[in-house]
Amino acid sequence: MKPAKKSTMDEYLKKHPFLKETAGLHLGLEKILSQLVKPVSFPEKADLIAYTKEGLPLLQQAGLQKRMAEAAAAGLGSMLAGLYDLMAPAMMKAAIEKWQEWAVQAEPETIQHFFGFLMRQEDGEIHELAETNQLNETMIRFLGWALIDALVPARVKDSSFWEHEAKWKRNYCPVCGRQAALAQLRKEQQGRARYLSCDGCHTVWPHKRIGCVYCQNIDLKKMHILEPEGEPEMRLDVCDECHTYLKTYNEEGAEDVYLRDWATIHLDLLGEEQGLRKKGSVLLASE
Ligand SMILES: [Zn+2]
Ligand SMILES: [Zn+2]
């Protein structure tokens, strides 16, 4: 994701001082990764269109997945070393050190396998690897996906490519295959159009405006909206069929703030209070 315009994010953080530490961690990580990591070279547009025609996301294609796993495994050591100066809680620092010890000793193939598990969302394998090596599962998911994200070229994450050229409208990410974590409603000539955003690789793509993006329920009597107090820019679209919610950005212009899951993490409380499930976050198992 390209860095937020400083003013927009600064203003937002002034209004949400409780996010300061979280912001320091996430923005710091993005900055470090953008300096350390060079994106993997992806196929040209015509090939991207052909590859995804039948609905198979790019990183689920054997060749690209392998290249991505190799690049991520090769970059893991320098990412972890680069995190030395990251403003992070002591517990996280300790977990990073532990992962660094593992990365130094592990065979390159073992590290590649880990990134394969992440990209294929093989939760059982990720859990087992974490448990066997006493690694913090949430942390390796979070940082693992941050590295994958940094390795995906920006041009592939652009919603206009998926909308106008590849014509991808499915309910999962065309690049990595994850379910959406956030949505945005944009004004069109007639009414509004919905775009979904991936928490793994931060690609944005169009999807039909009506209904639940997770279970495809289109019965509007089984959907409702929660409007958080004091945050008119955001709402939660709730599905009464599968009991999930989707945080949705209602406006345009501050995507770099509102299409980041961590920046609206306090709104998840509203969903949790109602016993609703969150989906799409890289921190969570895909179930
Ligand atoms: Zn993705
Ligand atoms: Zn649903």
Side-chain angles (χ1 to χ4, degrees), residues 211-218 222-223 238-245 277 279:
C212 171
V213 303
Y214 299 123
C215 75
Q216 301 290 299
N217 157 41
I218 48 162
K222 291 182 184 162
M223 302 273 319
V238 178
C239 174
D240 305 321
E241 190 68 40
C242 69
H243 307 287
T244 56
Y245 64 92
R277 285 185 304 146
K279 293 192 104 174

Side-chain angles (χ1 to χ4, degrees), residues 24-59:
L25 172 65
H26 286 263
L27 297 174
L29 177 62
E30 272 178 39
K31 195 170 163 209
I32 289 168
L33 284 170
S34 71
Q35 288 162 350
L36 279 179
V37 176
K38 199 172 152 278
V40 168
S41 111
F42 267 50
E44 288 311 310
K45 279 182 175 180
D47 290 329
L48 295 179
I49 293 167
Y51 289 160
T52 51
K53 216 171 164 214
E54 305 298 331
L56 189 62
L58 294 173
L59 294 185

Side-chain angles (χ1 to χ4, degrees), residues 173 175-178 198 200-203:
C173 174
V175 174
C176 74
R178 299 187 60 87
C198 174
C201 69
H202 294 101
T203 295

